[in-house]
Amino acid sequence: MSSRSVSSFRLSACLAVTPMQNTMGSYRLGGRFCRKKAQQHSGKDTSQPNFCPLAMELSNDFHSLLQFLSFELLTELVHRASLYDAREFSVHFVCGGLSACAATLTVHPVDVLRTRFAAQGEPRVYKTLQDAVVTMYRTEGPLVFYKGLTPTLIAIFPYAGLQFSCYSSLKHVYEWVMPADRKHSENLKNLLCGCGAGVISKTLTYPLDLFKKRLQVGGFEQARATFGQVRRYRGLLDCTKQILQEEGAQGFFKGLSPSLLKAALSTGLVFFWYELVCNFFHCLKRTDS
C-alpha cells in the first residue's frame, strides 16, 4: 500500500484523542502524521510489514482493468440498443457505477486484507499474507473477507459513476473554455480532466469510504490501540450514528486531504492511459479496415 493510502486510512480510521490521553495514536492533523512517519523512517520503522506489495498494487490494476472493460461493454450495449445516447451524463454515470461494482465484488477480499495490514500497529497481529488469511478465516469466518461490502458498493457506485460522467463533462467544458488556437494536446486535456473528475467524485462520496474503512477494521481493535481510540460498530447505521455523536459532522471527512491527492493523481493517470490505449486500438482498427 502506498504511503498516501496508509496516511489516508489511518487518518480516517482513527479517533482523535484528548490532550489528557495517550497522544501516540493521535493523528488529528496531517502535519502531525507526516512528522510521526518521518520520525519512524529516520529510525527503524517496523509498523508496516513489507509483504507482497506488488500483489496488493496489482489488485488495484486488476480492479481498474475490470472496471474499464465492463464500462466499455455496457456503453456498447447501450449504443446498440439505441435507447439512449451513450455519451450522455446519465449513461456514463450508470455504466460507470455498475462496472465498478462488478470489479469490486472480485477484488474486495484483497482490499480487506490490505486495510487490515494498514490498520495494525505493534505488536503485529498478522505477520504475513498467509498468516492473515488463515487467522481471519479461523477467528471470524469466511464472511470476514467481505466485511464492509455494503458501504463499499454504496460508495463505489456513485464514486465511479461520477468519475466517468464528470470526466466526460469536464472534457466538454475544457473544449468550450480553451479557444481552438490555444488548445493543448489531447493527452494533457485527458490528464487534467481526469484529475478534476477524481477530486469531485472523491469529495462527494468520501463519507461512505470512511464508513467502509471503519467497518473493515472491526474485529481486531487490540492491534490498533497505539493509533488512538477505537470503537466497535454494529453496522453502517450504527457507525454513522457514533461518528456523528462523538466526532461531529467533520468526522465524516477525516483524512480527506491525502485522499484527494491520491484521487487526483490516480484518476488523472488512469484516464490518461485509458484514452491513450483506446486511441491506439482505434488507429489499429482504421488501419485494418
Side-chain angles (χ1 to χ4, degrees):
M1 182 180 285
S2 67
S3 59
R4 286 190 300 272
S5 299
V6 175
S7 304
S8 171
F9 171 77
R10 288 190 176 173
L11 285 165
S12 62
C14 295
L15 294 172
V17 297
T18 62
M20 297 300 294
Q21 294 171 311
N22 179 11
T23 57
M24 287 182 62
S26 180
Y27 290 151
R28 285 185 174 183
L29 300 174
R32 178 180 295 180
F33 175 82
C34 293
R35 290 195 298 271
K36 187 184 292 289
K37 294 301 291 181
Q39 292 170 359
Q40 290 175 344
H41 285 289
S42 64
K44 184 178 180 181
D45 182 16
T46 59
S47 62
Q48 289 301 311
N50 186 22
F51 81 100
C52 294
L54 180 60
M56 292 304 177
E57 291 305 320
L58 285 176
S59 70
N60 288 336
D61 297 335
F62 187 62
H63 181 279
S64 297
L65 177 62
L66 288 176
Q67 179 177 333
F68 278 93
L69 283 176
S70 302
F71 177 78
E72 287 293 329
L73 290 174
L74 289 172
T75 51
E76 181 66 19
L77 287 174
V78 172
H79 176 70
R80 290 183 178 181
S82 299
L83 297 177
Y84 301 95
D85 185 352
R87 295 168 296 179
E88 286 186 2
F89 184 94
S90 58
V91 172
H92 278 206
F93 181 84
V94 174
C95 292
L98 290 176
S99 63
C101 288
T104 298
L105 287 172
T106 306
V107 302
H108 189 75
V110 180
D111 187 47
V112 172
L113 287 168
R114 182 173 52 183
T115 301
R116 288 290 183 99
F117 268 98
Q120 65 178 346
E122 293 291 345
R124 297 177 190 167
V125 176
Y126 312 122
K127 304 297 189 298
T128 63
L129 179 60
Q130 181 180 1
D131 178 48
V133 173
V134 173
T135 302
M136 291 168 63
Y137 181 84
R138 288 179 176 175
T139 58
E140 302 177 63
L143 292 180
V144 66
F145 299 109
Y146 282 92
K147 266 194 172 183
L149 179 61
T150 300
T152 299
L153 293 178
I154 294 174
I156 199 65
F157 184 91
Y159 176 63
L162 286 170
Q163 276 188 335
F164 283 97
S165 53
C166 288
Y167 173 71
S168 178
S169 299
L170 287 174
K171 287 178 66 176
H172 292 308
V173 172
Y174 182 94
E175 293 170 354
W176 178 72
V177 171
M178 296 296 295
D181 57 340
R182 295 185 58 188
K183 285 184 179 178
H184 298 282
S185 68
E186 285 292 313
N187 291 334
L188 179 60
K189 178 183 72 174
N190 298 334
L191 181 63
L192 293 177
C193 293
C195 291
V199 170
I200 294 172
S201 57
K202 175 60 72 172
T203 302
L204 294 177
T205 62
Y206 186 78
L208 290 170
D209 186 52
L210 182 138
F211 300 152
K212 177 199 74 172
K213 292 173 181 176
R214 293 282 183 98
L215 291 171
Q216 282 182 340
V217 299
F220 75 134
E221 287 79 3
Q222 72 281 358
R224 301 172 52 238
T226 59
F227 296 140
Q229 296 179 1
V230 293
R231 290 287 185 271
R232 292 181 181 271
Y233 304 113
R234 294 187 297 273
L236 178 59
L237 293 178
D238 181 55
C239 179
T240 306
K241 180 180 178 181
Q242 287 197 44
I243 293 175
L244 184 62
Q245 290 178 343
E246 299 174 4
E247 303 172 60
Q250 65 271 21
F252 294 142
F253 293 92
K254 186 173 290 184
L256 177 62
S257 298
S259 291
L260 288 181
L261 176 61
K262 178 186 176 183
L265 294 175
S266 61
T267 308
L269 289 173
V270 164
F271 276 107
F272 170 84
W273 286 109
Y274 166 69
E275 294 285 5
L276 205 62
V277 172
C278 286
N279 291 334
F280 173 75
F281 282 111
H282 288 158
C283 290
L284 287 180
K285 186 176 180 181
R286 286 196 299 267
T287 303
D288 293 339
S289 59

